[in-house]
Every structure is written in C-alpha cells, then in structure tokens.
Amino acid sequence: MNALTNDTPMSVAQTLRFAAVCAALMSLFGCPAPVTSPPPPPAPEVVSFTVSASEVSAGDKVTLSWETKNATSVTLVEAGRGVVSGAEGLSGSVEVTVQADTLYVLTAKNERGLTESAAAAVDVKDGVDQVLFVATPEDVTAGEPVTLAWMAQGASTVTLAEQGGATIDLGGQVESGTVTVTPTVDTVYELTVDGTAHQAAVRVRPAIDLFSVTPSAVLPNDTVTISWKVTGAAEVTVAVPGSDEVAHETDAAKVADGSATFHVPANIDPAGAITFRITAVNPAGDRTTTRDQVVYVAGQPKLREVSIPTWVREGGTYEVTWKTTGADLVEVIVNGEVVYTSANLALADAGSVTLPSPGATDQVVQVRAASLRGGEDRSDEVTVSAVGTPSVTSFEATPGTVATGGDPVALTWTIPNARHVVITTSTGRAVATVDGKAAGMADASVDDYPNVDTEYLLTADNGLGDVVTATASVQVTTPATLTFDPPTAPLGATVTVTGSTVNGGGDIQIGSAPPATPPFTWVVTATPIVAKVAVGTTGKQVEIDGITYPAILPNQLVISEVNYNPAAGLGEWFELENRSPYPFDLGGTTIDFGNGNTHTITGPLTIAAGGLLLFGSDPEAAEASAGGAAVDYVYGPGLTMPDAAGSLRLTSYGVTFASFTWNSPGTQGVATINSPGVTVTGGGTELHCAATTVYGQNGQLGTPGSPHPDCFGYSMSVGPANTFQSIMNTGTVVGSLAAPNDSDSVYVTLMLARPVKVFGQSYTTLYVSSNGFISTQPLSNSYNGNNSSPSTSAPNGVIAPFWDDLEENTGNSKVLYQQFDPDPSVIGDEYTIVSWENWKVWLYSTQLNFQVVFHEASGDIEFRYGAMTGADADRAHGISATTWLENAAGTAALVYNVNSATAPGIASNTSIYFTAR
C-alpha cells in the first residue's frame, strides 16, 4: 500500500522533469496532474498583554500576563535591559521587580516570520518620569517587521521619524504606544517628546528573497540559469565554493533583481553535485547574508534520507520512508523481491510505504532509487524483526552480599522481547547498556564492582515504547577505601596515596585528576573525595564515594588555653584540645613560639579523640606537686612566650593547624581561654576570655589539663555525610511557608511543644524566615540580604544553614518542623527538625534542601543538607549565602561559609555540627 497520496504538491522543477519523462513512464504508471500548495498559516495575534499594576513603588513586583493566537514563539523585552527571564509559553505570565519607570514589549511570531507586538508601561511613584523608547528586535533581516514602542509620561507632543527621513504616523498615540516598521537598511529612529529627541537604532541584514538554479538536475555540458531577488544589499556575489565567481554585481537594479548563467563542466563526476552560493552585502559592508543551492547530476540519483525500522510490532505493520534527488522511480525490496514501485515523480522524490510485519523469519529490506538515464542508488540492507511486549522473567545480583567493596557481582536477567536494556544504580550511576537481541537473551549478564550497599534498577524496552523495570540489591560488608601515608595530616598538606583496599586494585583516579599508579602524592582536601580504582585487567572501575581523609581540619585541634604570663618564677604552659572524632599522632609536629624559637615534638605523641594534652616549659609548669595537672609533654625552659604580644603555632608537614595570638600581657598568673574560628564584630577570628578557676598553691587562675567553659559556647566541626532527614510527608508546615502561598520574603513565629536549647538558654518560641535562617530573637522582616559578618544590628541570634534571598520552587515547596522522641524510655534522645525542602534562590534555577536539627538535651545543633543542585550550581552551593551560628547579642559567630561556592561552599549530602561547650 502506498502511504503517500497523489495530492502531494510538486515544485516547478519537479513538474518540468515530470513532463520530460512522462512519455517513458506512461506505459507503466500514468501521469497525475500536480495540484496547488496549501494556504499559508494565519498571522499571529496578541490577544491581550496586561500588567497587574501600572503605578508602583520602587522595588515592588508586578505580574505581566499575555495571551496570543496563531503564534509559534513569544519574546518579552524590557526597555534598556533586554529579554525578560522566565517569560515562556504562547500564553502565560511572569513576575518582575520594578525599580524605575519601565516599558515592556511583547512580540508574537509565527512560522512564516510574521509578528505582532504590544507594549505595557509601569510608572514608579515619586520617581522622575522617564522617556523610554525601544526597537524590538534591534537586529533583523531586511523587510522583517520591527516594533517601535515608547513611554513618555505627561508628554504634550510626540513625533516619530526616521533620522533624516519621513515622519511616521502615530495614529493619535502620545504618552505611550507602538508602531510597526519594516526597515531595509540600517536605520536610526527618532522619537521627539516635547522638543527633546530620543533615538533607537536597528541593524539590518540583507534579505535574499529568491535564489533559484534552473534546472535542478543537470548533465555534463548543460547550461544552468541562476536567478535572485535581494533586498537591502549594495552588492551580490554568486560563486561555486572553492572555484571562480559566477557573478558579481554592484549595480543597484541588478543587485535587487539579477541573473547569471553557468556552464556545467564536461568532466563532472556523474555521481556528483554543484553547490552555488549567493552572498549579499549591506551598504555599510559589515553584514552579509548567504544561501546555498545544490544541483545534482541527473544521471546519478541520490537517496538523501531512508528510514527502515529495525524492530516492529508482532502482527502489525511498519513504514519505510525516503527522500531522493534526481530519481525517476523508487523501489522497496524485501528479501530480494520488489514489493513497491513509486507511481509518479513526487513519490519518487519523497514517499513512504506501509508493509506488514514479518512473522517468525526476519525480513531484509532495502530501498532503490533509479534514473531513466541508467543510474541507481541503494540504501544499506536493514534486517527487520518482529518483537512482542517485553516481560521480566528474572533479574538477579549474585552474590547478594560481598565481603569487600570492589569484589565482583554478576547481574543476570532474562527478559523476553527486550531489545534495549539499561542498568543504573539508585544513585544514578550507569552500570551497563545492552542493545539488540542480546538484551532479551536468557541469562544475559554483566559484571559490576559495588563499594556500598547498592540497589540496581533495570529498565528494558522492545524498541517500540513498551517498557518494563526490575530491581536487585547487593550488600557490601566492608566498603573499600584508599590508603595514605601518613594516615593523618593537616588540611593542605601533601601526603602519599599508597594504594587501596580493593582486591586486585590498580590505578587510582581522585576526582577529575587523571588516573595514576600508586604510590603518588596528593594534597589533603577538606571535603569528602570521590575516587575510582581500576580492577585488575578487567577495564572496570570501582567508584569509592565519600572517602574522608582523617585530616586535621581548621579548629579541630585547638590551642584552647595558654598561661603565657605566669606568676613570678613559675613555668609557662599551654593546652591542646582535640575537637575531632579522630585520634592524631603529633610526632614530628613543630611548636613555633615566634622569632625563630621552635621545638619539634619527638613522637609518638597521641592526642585522643575529644582529649586534651598539656604542654609545659617544665614538669611543674601547672604546679603538679601542689595538686595541679601533670604536664604531658615538656618542651623545655629555653623556649619562652613573650608577655606583651606574641603568637604560638603548631605546624605539621609545612601547614599550621593550630594557633593562638595575643596583643597584651593580660593579668599575671591568669591563663587566657581561646575560642578560635569565631568571627567577632569588627573583625578577627579568635575570641579570648580570662580564666576564673584557681589551680595550684600560688593563686593562679586556669584549668590546665581539664575542660573549661568556652568563650563562645559552641565549637564547629564537619559532620557525617547523607544525614538529611526529609519530613516532607510527616512534618507540620511552619505558618504560610509552603507553595502555592506567597512564601517569598516571609517570617513566621514558631511555637514548640518542647523547648530547644541554644547557648544554654531554653526556647519554646523561634522565629523562622523564608530566607533560610532561624532567630531566637523576634524578627521585624525576613531579611532578604544576608550578613557577611556579625553585627549588633538586627537580626541577631541567627541560626543560618543557608541565608539567601529564597522563594518556593515549582511544585511542592515547604518549610516544616517536627519534634522526635526515638525511644520514649530513654531520656535525652529527643530532637527537633526545622526543614526547608524544595526551595530555590530567587531568580535562579536551583533546588535547595536543608534543615536545622536541635538536640534538645545537649544543646548541640546540626545543619544538614540534602540535594543542593540546579543549573545555577554556584547559587546552590552558597555563592550568595551565609552559613553560621551567631550569638544572641550579634557580637560573634561561628562562620562556616559566606558568599562562596568553593571555600568551602555548601555541598549536597553534607552536614555541619555545632557542639555545645
């Protein structure tokens, strides 16, 4: 059956060729008459274009709404600022912020290039009225429509004209309006408002209205005629690329409407083609327009496009389609037999045929294009197979449990009628893709090398849109990791990667660095790293996610207390505190007292996780014989700390990981407590306070070797990965902070059934902002602009996991809270979550999921992050956000990140832990 009817229109060239060969085809096919082309599509129409408020205050938001008809695209432009972001759809709306008098122009366009425009103006109250004048678009092809739109609030007289040219009729429009013009050359338009001229320029490319080559199929020694019509050009060139010019015209009449002839070479390739290119140049000589026409040698037809499906539905039909050049007939051949011959030239040029699906035996299908002069062109043979609906017989991962990450797992499946199988993990890692009949074979198999508990998702289809899925799981007892020398070092130190715990592991790739054969050096990073380890000679890799090198991160090892000005005749001492979950060997660490006075610790000397070490100039520095603490390490009396001003640093592998500075002698015999990493009002990153506890027998104050109150009240550390706990389906919405409510720039008072503890104070009332923070102090607005340093000005007491100008995202967006009691029989495990889920940075494509967790008994606070992603990744990672914990007075804050996507920035599936001290 022929799927293309005889009402397919023919071009002029087809009609001429049809007449030339009609006699030869008469006995076989007959000669159908050509018919006219269908009517053009209707012109576009702007049905409505409105603004929600025509007069607003600076900074207000308005909604622009529009409806169009017969359009294929819509463009919304703001005068002086360009295209408005987010204006999508042939009918729709978008919200914008207005800072000054503004003019908006909406242009609807159809597939023929016809346009219609409308304008809307917004006046800002108490502002200076502005004259706005815009041409849309500013860059066109000659003859294309341009909309001139203006706003001139309070104007008495307005005229419009081409610069140095004729006046344009405004149809009675004065204070605002639009007119359409069709410039053919670069043009400056002048809008004169009460005697003052305003200009808008339009740049114009030449338009090639017609470029034809006759005939469209030639023989050697033929002569072809090339014709053109051009608008807006000063010169025209026609050439065969790579050869001589055919014509070059500068005469205005011949540029606008001209022709030339070309002699086809006698030695042209009988299977070849000739490309003719016209180039039109504008009067300024800085803009060109080109167009190509291809003429084929008629003795050798060409199959330009052929579509033959590989998989077809059992018991159904399928379609073979083609497009040709220079063919007088087309045949479709199945298993060596001609089953279809085109009935006319139109169907030889472009056609289709519907065939019955094969049975149990595949079909071999080919398309042949032929010329009455004897040439032919054949497509590749395609094997067509009938396939039914896929079904899952089995999908298994063997073994279901592996002892060590990186050990092989065989994924096997049987899915009759599958012709395309894709296997991924639940985290999106690609595992395998199998195409063809092999995809549906019994016990098809691929190997994978998981490193964590993994769920595999198999998606299979039959090539016809029928899809089935299946899952299989594997548990990994001990995930593989990398091995380092030394096993711990400060952030920024250079260490050696010695290998991995993958069985048969080879080359290692860390992040985006090229693979390397261990051992090799690596600079310790603060964030979890992603590595790939080659597995033997298989060509496969094990992906190791979230490796945390137990680095000494900033403010994990803290010089927490120093007596640099002891009572007369007594020794100096300082205390080192380990605020990390890892023990560290301090052997080889340098103690630097300044002015070249250093001491290297002879190891090993281990400081336990959460432990303290006391360093002294002598064993009695802390008055041990009088009941004081014993010194853990004596660095010797030859090294002293200056009283008036000085510094103390601990350095390992060339990196300083702990420091303490002072600028005054303080009170003799009174130790100074240090809270490093705390940003204070006015600058500085250390918060000091004087000790108040007596030790020894000489009335000195301090707590050598013992815990003490912290000057700030909290310490900060990087928490574990993947701890975000969504409460989207279980939590309670905080006030109005949920889409589709207007949840931009909102703050809500949250009343809790159980109190939470912050800086030792219990609170049952919190103040929650839509902009990503909580305050223990009452708010007066939502504070779109984030602070970059602590300030005594409001807001204070800011608990900010992601303080930025935020709004609800598309779909389901909420701020929720929920109070948990995991085990009612246990006292002290209660916690409260306040969670922002599916939010975004205002005007940016982001998806933000983050939360604050209050541990009610201890007062510890966590910031947990889920997916922090989007096309505007820097915004999702904190380039315009503040992440910190601030005290109630606003005088100091523990800062994790301020306005940076990388230092350290906010990453997905991470957490920050604030420990109450």
Side-chain angles (χ1 to χ4, degrees), residues 48-56 60-67 76 92-98 102-106 118-123 151 153:
S48 64
F49 179 44
T50 61
V51 62
S52 59
S54 60
E55 186 178 35
V56 298
D60 283 354
K61 294 180 179 180
V62 298
T63 299
L64 299 169
S65 303
W66 62 91
E67 180 182 354
L76 180 58
S93 63
V94 66
E95 187 179 66
V96 297
T97 300
V98 180
T102 306
L103 179 66
Y104 299 95
V105 181
L106 180 82
V122 180
D123 181 41
M151 180 175 74
Q153 297 289 340

Side-chain angles (χ1 to χ4, degrees), residues 56-191:
V56 298
S57 297
D60 283 354
K61 294 180 179 180
V62 298
T63 299
L64 299 169
S65 303
W66 62 91
E67 180 182 354
T68 68
K69 183 178 180 182
N70 303 326
T72 57
S73 66
V74 166
T75 304
L76 180 58
V77 173
E78 179 181 347
R81 299 191 66 181
V83 175
V84 175
S85 175
E88 300 174 352
L90 303 181
S91 295
S93 63
V94 66
E95 187 179 66
V96 297
T97 300
V98 180
Q99 300 293 352
D101 290 353
T102 306
L103 179 66
Y104 299 95
V105 181
L106 180 82
T107 301
K109 186 177 183 180
N110 74 354
E111 60 190 274
R112 289 193 298 149
L114 298 180
T115 65
E116 181 173 83
S117 298
V122 180
D123 181 41
V124 172
K125 293 182 288 189
D126 301 326
V128 177
D129 286 339
Q130 303 180 51
V131 174
L132 300 176
F133 180 39
V134 63
T136 305
E138 298 176 333
D139 192 317
V140 296
T141 299
E144 287 185 345
V146 174
T147 298
L148 303 176
W150 69 92
M151 180 175 74
Q153 297 289 340
S156 298
T157 59
V158 174
T159 60
L160 178 62
E162 295 181 8
Q163 191 176 58
T167 299
I168 299 171
D169 184 10
L170 302 185
Q173 302 173 99
V174 180
E175 293 189 34
S176 65
T178 63
V179 295
T180 300
V181 293
T182 53
T184 58
V185 294
D186 292 353
T187 305
V188 176
Y189 295 92
E190 282 192 352
L191 181 80

Side-chain angles (χ1 to χ4, degrees), residues 544-592:
I544 304 178
D545 296 330
I547 301 172
T548 301
Y549 181 90
I552 303 174
L553 301 180
N555 305 316
Q556 282 191 331
L557 291 187
V558 173
I559 299 174
S560 57
E561 190 173 4
V562 182
N563 192 348
Y564 58 83
N565 187 12
L570 298 178
E572 299 175 346
W573 55 265
F574 69 89
E575 178 184 86
L576 185 68
E577 179 183 351
N578 184 358
R579 295 181 176 179
S580 81
Y582 310 105
F584 294 101
D585 181 6
L586 301 177
T589 295
T590 297
I591 306 174
D592 187 345

Side-chain angles (χ1 to χ4, degrees), residues 5-71:
T5 61
N6 286 342
D7 61 358
T8 302
M10 291 193 293
S11 67
V12 173
Q14 288 174 327
T15 304
L16 293 173
R17 181 161 54 88
F18 179 70
V21 301
C22 188
L25 295 173
M26 180 66 75
S27 62
L28 296 176
F29 311 124
C31 296
V35 296
T36 58
S37 300
E45 179 183 349
V46 178
V47 178
S48 64
F49 179 44
T50 61
V51 62
S52 59
S54 60
E55 186 178 35
V56 298
S57 297
D60 283 354
K61 294 180 179 180
V62 298
T63 299
L64 299 169
S65 303
W66 62 91
E67 180 182 354
T68 68
K69 183 178 180 182
N70 303 326

Side-chain angles (χ1 to χ4, degrees), residues 3 303 333 628 711 736 816 877:
L303 281 166
I333 304 168
C711 298
S736 63
L816 312 107
H877 296 163

Side-chain angles (χ1 to χ4, degrees), residues 178 184 214 299 317 333 343 347 356 478 536 592 628 660 664 683 699 719 757 760 816 897 899:
T178 63
T184 58
T214 306
T317 60
I333 304 168
L347 297 178
T478 305
D592 187 345
F660 172 79
S664 66
K757 190 184 297 182
L816 312 107
N897 189 73
N899 296 337

Side-chain angles (χ1 to χ4, degrees), residues 342-355:
S342 58
N344 53 52
L345 291 180
L347 297 178
D349 284 342
S352 65
V353 62
T354 301
L355 301 175

